[in-house]
Structure formats: structure tokens, C-alpha cells
Amino acid sequence: MAAVTDQMAAPGAPAIRRTPKGTFDIVFRNASRAAALFVLVLLAGIIASMIIGGWPAFREFGLGFITSSVWDTQNEQYGAWPAIVGTLSTALIALVLGVPLSLGIAVYLTQLAPPWFKRPVSTTIELLAAVPSIIYGMWGLFVFVPLFAAYVQIPVSNIVEGIPLVGTVLYSRSPSGLGILTAGIILAFMIIPFIASITRDMLEQIPSVLRESAYGIGATTWEVVRHVLVPQAGVSIIGAIMLGLGRALGETMAVTFVVGNANRLSASIMDPGSTIASRIANEFNEAMGLQLNALIALGCILFFVTFVVLVIARILVARVKSF
Amino acid sequence: MNSAVTPPATTPHQVWGRVRPARRTADRAMKIIATSFTLLAIFVLFWILGMLLVKGIGGLSVATFTQVTPGPGSEGGGLANAIVGSIVLTFLGIAVATPVGVLAGTYLAEYGKGSKLADLIRFINDILLSAPSILIGLFVYVILVEPFRGYSGWAGGVALGIIAIPVIVRTTEDMLRLVPSSLREAGAALGAPPSVVITSVTWRAAKSGMVTGILLALARIAGETAPLIFTALNNNFWFSPTLVGGVSNLPVTIYQFASAPYENWQQLAWAGSLIITVSILCLSLIARRIVRGGK
């Protein structure tokens, strides 16, 4: 038996090659290896196409492409700074709002929900991830934006007007409902299912003897979560949050609908802005020449940022998965 | 709803007498917050679905499925070309992704045990799984649209396929790993070479799980908009059967019609949103049911 499994583990051992099916065996093994290698080719191709496509813009503007705030199609001057800031700030807002929500949901699902209620709630939360990005955009633009303008932007602007710092960050010059904050809020709902379901899985993997002994010495549910579960799953929860961040950075359609697509940088998160992805989606079909290269160069920046975030996320999630 | 908050009778919460009030308050607060966050997320999903039903159902009629998308300013019209185009592109994507994804997943699960290369591929695949779809669109634009000087349905299908591949690789590998190795050993003991063991024993045992992966990939790519803007674009008429030139599809049609000044365009955008969301949610629910039935 051991010899047979050894041959299974090492395909291509001579005894197997002698069978009439030998040719098919070799073809099948090489085809599946080629398919697996294709995954690597895809990644290499994406990196190469971004760098080659964006090269003219990088060469033309150098480091100034990242630091410049000018985006002038008439004079062929392109700078990525407003889009980079927009991308980072929308993603940050999404995390600030989405992470507490996701953790609350994960705690509810693993600790509080009655058993019969767990599965329907889990499914509902996960279906939030199945709703296409463009539908979030439609909901954002036609339902959320008018409400947000009337009940948040206008009252908040009236309150904070004239106050230093807060008055700059939260004041909206034209309360249309569109803006960086709106995009961040929509993104928060879009990343909830990813963070919540990974955190739920992580909390469920924690051996229940830990929970039970904490309850046994008289801890409340909150204390069990705070002092036993969170420290146990801590690293992987950070990994889950990074995965959500990766999603938020690259989200395109929903953001394009609600971010306002302004090319200028504003100090207020209530004002319209743009993200890397929304700018690409907006301008790509009319772009020619250097503008096209500049947009692909933007994509290149987005790729490297999300790549680093996702690598960290996968390492953190994988490390704890094995306990 | 309050009954949902009450912990099961087995947890030792009933005796509050000896717990300091501050601890009790913190515990209560956490429970209320966690429950209300969950309710908020559920509420948002039903709000979105409700909005689609209210605004979309009025736009659904026989014409929606039989007439082509209207030009600017013209009356009536439907979504027939966009619906058919979306189906063609999505299935093209799945047709590209299924062989590659299933074979790659098979390699990782069956041949790649303990190999460094397989670990690397698995890691990269997980990264591609969450990579922004807009970048896949740009990639396909650079390799398939720019060199051939034109948008095409083929480019759109390939872009969707590239998005679907990591999903299929991941689920195929996970499902094959669930197959007990005694089945493989039994096959090998009968003298079957590894390829035959895999194709007629392991694949067969993991069939429903692998189908689920393909369904999930379908659900994932059916609503993708960003990559299609750069590849298949859109078209207000019936597209050419060779798929060269713009191919009409639902997501990009919704994107273009939603904020247009024409009322019939907006109406169609809502109808299209309803159609696409309901189909995708149904696909996801079916995929879930298959997994549950398999276990």
C-alpha cells in the first residue's frame, strides 16, 4: 500500500509510465502544471502591462507624477496626487466605519445569535458581497446621496462653519451629497461581508475550552470577547481588515457614482474628489496619447499599493489559520 | 428581536447578583451594539433590494426582453441585446476560466503537495482573487484591445475569464482536498495511473463542489462593470456575431443609462439592475445550497 501511494505522490515513476494510458498521464500532468503556472503568468503579465503602458507618463513627469496635483488634459500635464489622496481617504473612512460594524457582526454571529438564527443572518451578510458594485453605485447616487445631503451635509455644515480644523474638514461648500465621505460610507458597507465572514470563521476556530474556562471563572460575554477571543484571533483579524482595505482601494463603479469626480484636491471630506479607480473609469474611453498612458500609470500605482496590502493580509490570515 | 439577544440558557449569565454594575453595563452595551450593527447590515441589504424592486419592476415588460436598447431621445426600447450580450460574455468568460481553473486547482491539490512552487502559486492566486477588477480590465486592454485597434467581445470575455480563474482554482483545490485519500489509493491499487484516478475518481467525488465553484465564479463576473468598459464597451444595437466591435451588455448599459437625461433610459437602467441583481443573488443561493447538500 505504501509503495502504491508513493507512486501516486511521485507521478511519472517508471512503473506507471509503462501502462497503455502513459501518454495521457504525462499530457494531463503537464497540462495541469501549465494551467497552474498560468496563474503566475497572469500576475507577471498584469505587472508588465501596467509598467509598459504607464511608462511614457512616468518618463515624462518622473517622481512629479506622484506629487503633482495638476490634471490638465489641454496642456498634457498629469499628476496623481489628488487621486492618490482620494483613494487613501475613502478607503480609510471605509475602514473606520466598516471595521467596528464587521467586528460587531462577527461577535453577534459567534456569541449572541441563537443557533437557528445564525445561518440566515450569515447568508444575508454574505449576500451583501454578491450585490454588484454598480448596484451599490445606483443605491448610493439615487437613494443615499439625497438623504445624506439633506440630513447630514447641510446640518453639519451649518454647525461646524467657522470652527477651526473641524470647520475645514467637515464643511461642504456645495452640499450635493456627493463626496469623499459619501464614497467612504458606501465602501464601508461593501467591505463588511469580507471582514465579518473571515472574523467569524476565525472566532469559531478558537477552541471552545478557552471560552468555557473564561465563563467558568465568572467573566461576562464582553470580557470573554475582549480578553480571550480578540487576543487569540488578533493577528488574523488584522489580516481580514487588510483584505477589506484591499477591496476598498480598488472599488470602482460604486465610487465613480458617488465620489463627485472632481480633479481638485479639497481639504474637506464633504467635498467631491476622485480616486484612482474612479478617474480611470471616468476618463478612459475619451483618453488618447499621453492621457491614456497617465491613466495606466495611475493603474500601476493602484496595483502596487493593493498588492502590498493584499500580501500582508494573506500572510496574517494564513499564519493563524493553521492553529 | 430581544429574544435574539438573550444568550442560550447554558451560559452562566443568569446570576447577575455578584457582578459589579460597571461590568454589567459594559456587557449589555456590547450586546446591544453588536446586535444593532448586525441589524443595520441586514437592513441595508433589504433597502437595496427594496429600492430595486420599487424602481425596477415598473420598467419590466415584454418589450424589455424583445427590443433593443433605444438611441438617445427615442421612445420605448428594451434590453434584449444587452441581456443576450451579457449572457454571451459571461459564458465566454466561464468557458475561458473553467479548463484553466479546474486544471490549476487539480495541480495544487493532487500534484503540488509540499512543493514550493505550488505554495507560491496558491499565494499568488489568493492575491489575484482580491485584486481590483479594473486592473484586469486595463491589462486586457493593453494586450487585446490596443494591439487589435478595437473593442471586442472576445476581449470582454477574456477579462471576465481572468477574474473568474482564481475563484475556480481556489474552490477546486479546496473541494479536491476534502476527498478522502483512501479513494485515491483504492483507484491506484486497481492499477490506474494518477491521471485516471484524478479524472474518474477524485473529480467525480468532488463534482458538486467543483460545480459550486463555477457557479460562484459566474455570480462574481456577471455583474462586473469596470473591466468591460475597457474591453467590450457597449453597443446600442445588436452586436456582430463575430463579437468584433462593441458588444452590448447589461452592466455597462446600466452605467450609461442610469444618469442619462432620458426617462426611458433611466427606467431601463433600473429594470436592468433588478434583472442582474436577482439573477446573481439566485446563483449565489443555489451555489450555497449545493455545498450544503454535498456536506
Side-chain angles (χ1 to χ4, degrees):
Chain A
M1 202 63 221
V4 176
T5 41
D6 278 350
Q7 284 183 359
M8 282 287 299
I16 289 174
R17 243 181 231 166
R18 255 190 281 120
T19 60
K21 295 259 186 182
T23 334
F24 176 68
D25 205 52
I26 294 168
V27 169
F28 185 81
R29 176 158 47 90
N30 286 329
S32 64
R33 181 187 295 172
L37 288 173
F38 184 69
V39 173
L40 296 185
V41 173
L42 272 183
L43 182 80
I46 294 172
I47 296 176
S49 69
M50 294 290 138
I51 292 178
I52 294 170
W55 186 247
F58 285 127
R59 195 184 45 204
E60 177 80 22
F61 304 113
L63 207 61
F65 182 71
I66 295 176
T67 53
S68 160
S69 304
V70 183
W71 189 273
D72 186 350
T73 45
Q74 300 300 318
N75 300 316
E76 301 256 290
Q77 288 297 313
Y78 302 105
W81 189 242
I84 294 174
V85 173
T87 307
L88 296 179
S89 49
T90 48
L92 191 70
I93 294 170
L95 284 188
V96 168
L97 300 171
V99 167
L101 279 165
S102 315
L103 297 186
I105 292 167
V107 167
Y108 177 81
L109 286 175
T110 52
Q111 315 297 321
L112 304 176
W116 60 269
F117 201 51
K118 235 181 224 180
R119 184 173 276 168
V121 175
S122 275
T123 309
T124 314
I125 301 290
E126 279 167 26
L127 282 184
L128 272 174
V131 174
S133 173
I134 191 166
I135 304 298
Y136 279 100
M138 304 264 291
W139 174 71
L141 182 61
F142 295 107
V143 179
F144 187 76
V145 160
L147 294 175
F148 189 72
Y151 296 106
V152 180
Q153 274 195 338
I154 294 174
V156 169
S157 295
N158 289 340
I159 294 169
V160 300
E161 195 174 359
I163 305 174
L165 197 65
V166 184
T168 319
V169 176
L170 290 178
Y171 183 69
S172 124
R173 266 171 296 181
S174 55
S176 58
L178 303 171
I180 296 283
L181 180 59
T182 321
I185 294 172
I186 308 275
L187 282 176
F189 285 109
M190 299 181 71
I191 62 173
I192 281 175
F194 298 99
I195 305 180
S197 59
I198 297 176
T199 311
R200 177 201 61 202
D201 292 348
M202 294 301 165
L203 292 182
E204 264 169 5
Q205 277 183 18
I206 295 173
S208 56
V209 66
L210 285 177
R211 267 178 60 193
E212 285 157 11
S213 39
Y215 279 126
I217 57 168
T220 63
T221 309
W222 163 241
E223 286 157 353
V224 171
V225 170
R226 167 76 186 73
H227 298 291
V228 178
L229 300 184
V230 170
Q232 274 292 318
V235 180
S236 57
I237 292 177
I238 295 173
I241 294 171
M242 299 289 275
L243 268 185
L245 176 63
R247 288 271 166 187
L249 289 169
E251 239 340 300
T252 310
M253 298 321 293
V255 174
T256 309
F257 269 92
V258 299
V259 80
N261 301 312
N263 282 346
R264 235 177 315 117
L265 199 57
S266 166
S268 167
I269 56 171
M270 293 283 200
D271 277 339
S274 62
T275 70
I276 292 179
S278 76
R279 167 131 347 142
I280 298 173
N282 240 328
E283 298 188 7
F284 199 84
N285 287 328
E286 280 93 46
M288 297 214 296
L290 194 58
Q291 190 186 0
L292 197 64
N293 298 123
L295 289 173
I296 298 178
L298 276 182
C300 188
I301 296 173
L302 176 64
F303 177 82
F304 281 105
V305 175
T306 43
F307 186 77
V308 170
V309 168
L310 291 174
V311 166
I312 298 173
R314 289 294 169 186
I315 290 173
L316 293 180
V317 171
R319 197 196 285 170
V320 185
K321 234 176 198 171
S322 53
F323 76 81
Chain B
M1 215 49 246
N2 275 331
S3 67
V5 191
T6 322
T10 48
T11 47
H13 285 91
Q14 271 68 12
V15 196
W16 278 112
R18 294 190 194 148
V19 179
R20 269 188 286 120
R23 292 176 59 201
R24 185 196 328 190
T25 317
D27 189 60
R28 286 255 168 90
M30 182 277 281
K31 283 179 180 164
I32 293 170
I33 289 171
T35 311
S36 49
F37 282 0
T38 311
L39 289 177
L40 176 66
I42 296 173
F43 173 69
V44 166
L45 179 71
F46 282 100
W47 191 1
I48 292 173
L49 294 182
M51 168 201 78
L52 288 176
L53 276 178
V54 168
K55 299 206 176 191
I57 218 145
L60 285 181
S61 63
V62 180
T64 315
F65 298 94
T66 54
Q67 296 185 11
V68 296
T69 44
S74 62
E75 287 291 305
L79 292 166
N81 53 341
I83 294 172
V84 174
S86 257
I87 294 173
V88 169
L89 291 179
T90 309
F91 278 91
L92 199 58
I94 288 296
V96 170
T98 302
V100 178
V102 166
L103 280 176
T106 306
Y107 177 80
L108 293 181
E110 303 288 325
Y111 292 112
K113 273 174 203 149
S115 101
K116 285 251 157 59
L117 178 68
D119 287 342
L120 176 70
I121 292 171
R122 196 172 294 124
F123 189 76
I124 297 297
N125 187 66
D126 276 352
I127 291 195
L128 286 180
L129 197 62
S130 1
S133 58
I134 188 169
L135 295 178
I136 312 283
L138 281 184
F139 167 57
V140 174
Y141 176 86
V142 171
I143 62 162
L144 282 182
V145 178
E146 213 173 21
F148 294 101
R149 310 208 160 272
Y151 298 100
S152 74
W154 299 107
V158 169
L160 294 180
I162 293 177
I163 296 169
I165 285 174
V167 183
I168 299 180
V169 172
R170 180 70 188 269
T171 39
T172 304
E173 193 201 349
D174 287 353
M175 294 304 156
L176 290 179
R177 277 176 186 278
L178 291 177
V179 176
S181 52
S182 55
L183 278 181
R184 297 188 185 98
E185 285 160 9
L190 292 173
S195 58
V196 176
V197 172
I198 291 168
T199 47
S200 49
V201 179
T202 332
W203 277 4
R204 199 173 284 185
K207 198 167 67 187
S208 68
M210 289 159 72
V211 171
T212 308
I214 295 168
L215 285 180
L216 285 177
L218 245 178
R220 169 83 202 269
I221 62 176
E224 281 291 352
T225 318
L228 292 180
I229 298 179
F230 315 133
T231 51
L233 199 63
N234 201 1
N235 189 340
N236 268 342
F237 312 98
W238 280 104
F239 44 88
S240 126
T242 57
L243 297 186
V244 176
V247 171
S248 46
N249 58 84
L250 268 180
V252 180
T253 305
I254 295 171
Y255 176 51
Q256 292 178 344
F257 280 16
S259 32
Y262 313 109
E263 204 177 318
N264 59 336
W265 280 27
Q266 291 171 10
Q267 187 66 261
L268 285 172
W270 286 110
S273 306
L274 180 65
I275 296 171
I276 211 163
T277 311
V278 168
S279 339
I280 289 173
L281 292 187
C282 287
L283 266 176
S284 319
L285 287 173
I286 293 170
R288 248 157 228 288
R289 178 138 293 185
I290 294 178
V291 170
R292 217 180 286 159
K295 275 177 189 166

